[in-house]
Amino acid sequence: MQLAMLTQSNPPEPIWQTIMRLLRWDKPAGRLILMIPALWAIFLATNGTPPLSLILVIVVGTLATSAAGCVINDLWDRDIDPEVERTRTRPLASRALTVKTAIVIAGVAFACAAGLAVYLNPLSFGLCVAAVPIIIGYPLAKRVFPIPQLVLSMAWGFAVLISWTAAVGNLQTATWFLWGATVLWTLGFDTVYAMSDRDDDQRLGVNSSAIFFGEQSANAVGIFFLGTAILLGILGLKLQLHWEYWLTLIISIVLWSEQYSQLRNPDLPKPIYGKIFRNNVGIGFILLAGMITGFLL
């Protein structure tokens, strides 16, 4: 009787919700944090006034690309995720979806991204193609490379290169300062993310920057965020951005400093690592606001 009541109160999850979880669209922070560097690039490259059509292409393109990357990651890790507390309920880990279904979904996501890429110029399209092996290979890097978060950071860096060239058709000196800032920022927030899984990753023999840096992980994150701030400062000088940009950069530095202070606590509860990761989405949008107003006001 009790079992029947429990079954009735917990109906099976609709397939569309399971697919949304596979694509991580139920957790928007990870999708937005890829979109942010792409938006940084198109607004900076166009002096704060990109065409609306380009913004839409970049937004939808990053959503499709990050969705495909999540599926590829889960396909690689479908036998590892069940052993990790944070990931054991993912659709492939829990066998809520089959491998064949996931491959089809990944193919559709890549096809959507490719369909949007054909509207870009040849340089941007070539960069899109070059990014695909890195996106597909990142989960493999966790098995063979001591700092796989660096591979992820390189993938994030492509968001800057693709978007900048889509806006103006070429790469400039300022592009590389933004690229470097994005790579270091990604190394920082993804190392934070890895710190919550460190025990499980060590037990399973999976590499991560949190394991590589060990007790110095908090200091490494602090250095990455400091490097991000320095490169964004150089970028602001080079592009002659106004005081609004510098205000948002100062706010970001204060917030990164607070995060570093928290990370130095060896007894930090695991949920705080996820909170720090999500807070970087807010920091990214604060900086975006400064980049836009730093040109227009």
Side-chain angles (χ1 to χ4, degrees):
M1 182 66 176
Q2 291 180 342
L3 180 60
M5 292 177 62
L6 182 61
T7 302
Q8 290 176 357
S9 62
N10 293 281
E13 181 181 55
I15 186 66
W16 67 268
Q17 288 187 2
T18 308
I19 293 174
M20 291 299 103
R21 288 198 298 113
L22 178 68
L23 301 174
R24 306 286 202 282
W25 285 353
D26 61 321
K27 297 179 178 179
R31 313 293 68 74
L32 293 173
I33 212 164
L34 173 62
M35 188 187 303
I36 288 167
L39 292 175
W40 287 351
I42 59 173
F43 277 97
L44 290 175
T46 60
N47 296 333
T49 56
L52 179 59
S53 58
L54 179 58
I55 295 175
L56 292 175
V57 168
I58 294 302
V59 167
V60 178
T62 55
L63 288 175
T65 303
S66 63
C70 287
V71 180
I72 295 297
N73 180 82
D74 286 9
L75 283 166
W76 278 108
D77 291 350
R78 64 186 182 276
D79 294 325
I80 293 177
D81 284 344
E83 305 298 324
V84 179
E85 180 182 355
R86 182 178 58 82
T87 60
R88 62 178 49 140
T89 60
R90 287 177 175 175
L92 290 178
S94 64
R95 304 312 191 245
L97 289 176
T98 66
V99 170
K100 289 182 179 179
T101 300
I103 291 173
V104 170
I105 293 170
V108 170
F110 273 125
C112 291
L116 291 166
V118 300
Y119 289 98
L120 305 178
N121 59 59
L123 177 56
S124 299
F125 183 83
L127 288 167
C128 289
V129 174
V132 172
I134 298 177
I135 295 170
I136 294 176
Y138 162 65
L140 179 62
K142 291 186 285 188
R143 295 158 171 80
V144 299
F145 186 59
I147 312 178
Q149 280 68 27
L150 179 59
V151 179
L152 181 71
S153 299
M154 299 299 288
W156 249 247
F158 269 99
V160 169
L161 303 181
I162 293 167
S163 300
W164 193 292
T165 55
V168 296
N170 59 72
L171 295 169
Q172 303 165 3
T173 304
T175 317
W176 295 107
F177 285 116
L178 183 62
W179 176 85
T182 297
V183 169
L184 290 176
W185 183 50
T186 308
L187 267 172
F189 67 65
D190 208 51
T191 296
V192 173
Y193 202 68
M195 289 171 76
S196 66
D197 293 337
R198 184 159 41 195
D199 293 340
D200 287 325
D201 288 343
Q202 286 178 318
R203 175 172 53 84
L204 295 168
V206 176
N207 296 317
S208 80
S209 54
I211 294 174
F212 180 83
F213 292 113
E215 294 181 356
Q216 298 301 316
S217 292
N219 291 330
V221 171
I223 291 171
F224 295 145
F225 286 161
L226 176 62
T228 303
I230 291 172
L231 290 176
L232 288 175
I234 296 172
L235 181 67
L237 291 172
K238 186 165 187 63
L239 296 179
Q240 299 181 333
L241 294 172
H242 302 159
W243 67 267
E244 294 86 359
Y245 171 76
W246 296 103
L247 176 60
T248 61
L249 182 56
I250 291 171
I251 292 171
S252 300
I253 291 170
V254 170
L255 294 174
W256 281 326
S257 298
E258 290 178 354
Q259 291 180 357
Y260 169 65
S261 179
Q262 285 183 293
L263 292 170
R264 293 184 65 188
N265 177 6
D267 300 318
L268 194 66
K270 282 188 176 182
I272 302 300
Y273 293 113
K275 182 179 179 181
I276 290 173
F277 172 82
R278 291 188 297 273
N279 285 347
N280 272 277
V281 177
I283 293 174
F285 278 115
I286 289 171
L287 286 166
L288 177 61
M291 292 171 184
I292 296 172
T293 57
F295 276 116
L296 300 181
L297 299 181

